């Protein structure tokens, strides 16, 4: 979603929703010959937490000689590049700045598991901590393995892949570029990291071209032209994030 309020592009805060468990209260009364036990159990209360999302900036820059290339052409180049590559950049920034630092690592001491086992573990953990449907974050290189194991199916209504549990999946090139664990270390050869989170909301600011005219773009000492296109994005999710290391090259 595009934002016009500059304040939201500086970061947002909200009260977490759906992260507190709904408990079961035993309404049955003990029979006369049964011991009532240690007394009534008190109901549990959950204090909502304040969550936040910080801004990330993505950009595309072009450098060229002023001979044969105008400012207008350079400007068109960086705008087209940013448009084509912004999703990948936002995915990578979200992975590195939000998913990995917040994640609980579910990988066992035995090491990576199969993709299907990894998805099962992630969905089970999310279901215990979040009341709604989540989002599975998948590096592009793992997508084919999800298909061959029939872990995902295409949702005809939204044209988005979903798991059998109903969680949506985002298959991203930016996730492949990051492909790191919660500690920030890159995945070992032959493995990949999968993450699961609550829903994700993306706020996009306007695209700024710097400089906004030809004169300041030229370095007259070397006769080169530099133009930059950038925009701010604020990407947020809710509740707990989980990660697991999976085998990306099964036998």
């Amino acid at each position: 979603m595009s934002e016009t309020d500059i304040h939201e592009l500086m970061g947002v805060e909200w009260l977490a929703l759906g992260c507190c468990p709904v408990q079961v209260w035993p309404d049955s009364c003990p029979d006369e010959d049964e011991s009532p036990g240690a007394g009534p159990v008190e109901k549990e209360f959950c204090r909502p937490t304040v969550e936040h999302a910080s801004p990330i900036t993505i950009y595309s820059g072009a450098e060229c000689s002023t001979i044969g290339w105008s400012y207008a052409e350079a400007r068109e180049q960086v705008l087209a590049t940013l448009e084509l590559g912004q999703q990948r950049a936002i995915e990578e920034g979200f992975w590195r700045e939000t998913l990995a630092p917040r994640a609980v690592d579910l990988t066992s001491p035995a090491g990576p598991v199969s993709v299907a086992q990894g998805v099962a573990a992630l969905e089970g953990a999310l279901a215990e901590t979040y009341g709604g449907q989540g989002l599975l974050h998948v590096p592009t290189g793992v997508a084919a393995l999800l298909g061959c194991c029939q872990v995902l199916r295409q949702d005809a209504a939204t044209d988005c892949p979903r798991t059998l549990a109903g969680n949506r999946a985002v298959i991203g090139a930016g996730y492949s570029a990051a492909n790191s664990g919660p500690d920030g270390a890159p995945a070992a050869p032959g493995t990949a990291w999968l993450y699961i989170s609550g829903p994700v909301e993306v706020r996009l600011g306007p695209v700024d071209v710097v400089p906004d005219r030809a004169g300041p773009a030229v370095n007259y000492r070397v006769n080169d032209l530099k133009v930059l296109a950038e925009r701010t994005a604020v990407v947020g999710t809710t509740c707990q994030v989980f990660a697991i290391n999976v085998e990306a090259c099964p036998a």
Side-chain angles (χ1 to χ4, degrees):
M1 57 184 290
S2 297
E3 291 291 341
T4 57
D5 185 353
I6 190 173
H7 296 93
E8 292 201 8
L9 297 174
M10 298 171 67
V12 292
E13 290 186 345
W14 66 93
L15 281 179
L17 182 63
C19 307
C20 292
V22 177
Q23 308 286 358
V24 176
W25 180 254
D27 287 326
S28 58
C29 297
D31 296 333
E32 293 183 0
D33 57 348
E34 292 181 354
S35 171
V41 179
E42 292 187 359
K43 292 184 177 179
E44 297 181 16
F45 292 82
C46 178
R47 187 181 297 273
T49 58
V50 176
E51 298 182 313
H52 74 280
S54 300
I56 57 176
T57 298
I58 61 173
Y59 72 93
S60 170
E63 180 180 3
C64 54
S65 172
T66 57
I67 301 174
W69 200 344
S70 67
Y71 169 81
E73 290 172 316
R75 186 179 190 277
E76 183 179 349
Q77 173 80 10
V78 294
L79 287 174
T81 302
L82 186 68
E83 178 67 25
L84 291 171
Q86 67 178 354
Q87 180 170 334
R88 176 200 171 283
I90 291 172
E91 289 169 351
E92 183 177 355
F94 178 57
W95 182 295
R96 295 189 188 280
E97 301 298 326
T98 301
L99 289 178
R102 287 180 52 174
V104 173
D105 190 354
L106 302 181
T107 309
S108 73
V113 296
S114 71
V115 171
Q117 290 173 318
V119 172
L122 291 175
E123 290 193 307
L126 185 72
E128 294 178 5
T129 57
Y130 179 62
Q133 291 182 329
L135 202 62
L136 188 67
H137 306 273
V138 183
T140 303
V142 184
L145 300 179
L146 290 168
C148 72
C149 300
Q150 297 185 354
V151 175
L152 295 181
R153 55 184 173 83
Q154 203 72 8
D155 188 334
T158 62
D159 199 32
C160 293
R162 288 182 183 269
T163 67
L164 294 178
N167 296 309
R168 292 188 180 185
V170 174
I171 300 167
Y175 296 157
S176 290
N179 196 16
S180 57
D183 61 356
T191 72
W193 284 93
L194 302 181
Y195 286 76
I196 198 168
S197 71
V200 172
E201 185 172 277
V202 181
R203 293 174 168 85
L204 289 177
V207 177
D208 294 319
V209 178
V210 182
D212 59 358
R213 61 189 187 279
V218 179
N219 182 342
Y220 292 97
R221 291 182 302 173
V222 294
N223 212 28
D224 271 355
L225 180 74
K226 288 185 178 180
V227 181
L228 185 76
E230 62 183 13
R231 77 187 313 177
T232 297
V234 178
V235 189
T237 187
T238 190
C239 299
Q240 187 60 64
V241 177
F242 297 96
I244 195 166
N245 196 216
V246 298
E247 298 169 346
C249 297

